[in-house]
Amino acid sequence: MKTTIVLLGPPGAGKGTQGEKLTDEFGYVRLSTGDMLREAVRNGTELGKKAKEYMDAGALVPNDLIINLMKEKIAGINGGVLLDGFPRTVEQADALAEQMEVDLALNFDVADEELVSRLTQRRSCPNCNAVYHLVTKKPAKEGVCDKCGAALYQRDDDKEATVRNRLEVYRKNTMPLIDYYSKKGTLVTIEGSGDIDAIFEQVKKAIQ
Ligand code: AP5
């Protein structure tokens, strides 16, 4: 079974959704840079203060901040790990390669208009980071997280104009990683549209 997995794909492709399922079923530790940054913003830390304006605009947080953050987190890991939202630039991928070898880069492919529709209807849990959707993945009780009971919220960067900017940023900065991991022979691309559980079956095959 693969132990170091990078989850790749545009905003809204399902990295968090599938990552959560992998963690629940196989016990991987999921390190999501987006979740870490949002927590830092909520807690008003130095990192959060620096990251907020980039995140609100749908831009990438500078490489040095992210690389330092992840170096520390990865150093503490022992066992299977999922990297969700990192690396996001070739510079970040090179920094990661110096620290650990990636077994599998799992790339989720979804059309732009579906991504916009998914993200504008996403609701997130600020406490345990579970993700929901107003139509395709409703919580049992409206507005309440099934897992921990916290009130769900809409992320500031899930407004349509910001989502479209995030897609542009993805194309320019992160898409080159598809080629990067393909050349290393570790890339597997999965069609990310359709039933969440059916996609998870493909994911399970890829991690074997
Ligand atoms: P981050 O939080 O990483 O956002 P993202 O990559 O844009 O990814 P998302 O969390 O939006 O989407 P996802 O692929 O996880 O989809 P999800 O499963 O939730 O980053 C946010 C910001 O932080 C960045 O813009 C940047 O500023 C900064 N940042 C983070 N990492 C950085 C880095 N390394 N370098 C620099 N800056 C960084 O699914 C989306 C919705 O679709 C949900 O509602 C879900 O229920 C639904 N859904 C999922 N699968 C399906 C399906 N098959 N069918 C229908 N609906 C589905």
Side-chain angles (χ1 to χ4, degrees):
M1 192 130 104
K2 310 287 189 214
T3 54
T4 307
I5 303 175
V6 165
L7 301 178
L8 278 181
K15 303 181 293 294
T17 301
Q18 298 295 332
E20 204 180 312
K21 289 174 85 64
L22 278 173
T23 298
D24 290 348
E25 191 158 331
F26 299 102
Y28 284 96
V29 173
R30 183 165 72 97
L31 295 180
S32 157
T33 40
D35 288 346
M36 288 176 208
L37 291 168
R38 280 183 289 281
E39 193 184 335
V41 170
R42 273 196 297 275
N43 293 338
T45 65
E46 274 312 302
L47 171 66
K49 284 179 200 154
K50 286 179 188 156
K52 188 176 184 327
E53 72 177 279
Y54 297 100
M55 296 175 77
D56 286 349
L60 292 185
V61 173
N63 279 326
D64 58 336
L65 290 179
I66 298 290
I67 290 170
N68 287 339
L69 170 73
M70 289 305 277
K71 251 191 193 146
E72 219 173 275
K73 299 281 178 191
I74 289 169
I77 294 292
N78 188 7
V81 62
L82 297 177
L83 301 175
D84 173 356
F86 176 85
R88 235 174 170 105
T89 61
V90 169
E91 192 178 335
Q92 292 179 17
D94 285 339
L96 175 63
E98 282 174 22
Q99 201 175 2
M100 65 171 24
E101 203 175 306
V102 170
D103 291 337
L104 172 68
L106 207 46
N107 176 43
F108 297 97
D109 191 25
V110 180
D112 277 11
E113 284 318 306
E114 181 165 350
L115 295 170
V116 174
S117 152
R118 283 184 185 185
L119 290 175
T120 50
Q121 297 182 79
R122 172 167 58 184
R123 294 297 179 267
S124 306
C125 176
N127 183 47
C128 71
N129 300 312
V131 284
Y132 299 89
H133 186 275
L134 293 180
V135 179
T136 57
K137 191 171 178 252
K138 291 183 189 177
K141 186 173 172 209
E142 196 184 324
V144 177
C145 179
D146 291 346
K147 288 193 163 174
C148 73
L152 302 178
Y153 81 117
Q154 182 176 29
R155 276 170 44 177
D156 287 342
D157 62 350
D158 278 350
K159 309 276 157 57
E160 184 166 343
T162 316
V163 166
R164 292 202 182 271
N165 191 40
R166 285 163 63 199
L167 290 173
E168 279 306 310
V169 168
Y170 165 78
R171 267 189 283 277
K172 185 163 170 256
N173 298 283
T174 310
M175 257 184 112
L177 293 182
I178 294 177
D179 200 33
Y180 180 99
Y181 285 113
S182 173
K183 283 186 179 140
K184 288 188 185 282
T186 50
L187 185 85
V188 172
T189 294
I190 287 179
E191 167 57 53
S193 300
D195 180 67
I196 290 173
D197 290 328
I199 296 167
F200 189 54
E201 290 305 312
Q202 300 295 310
V203 169
K204 284 200 280 191
K205 279 187 199 145
I207 66 166
Q208 295 309 319

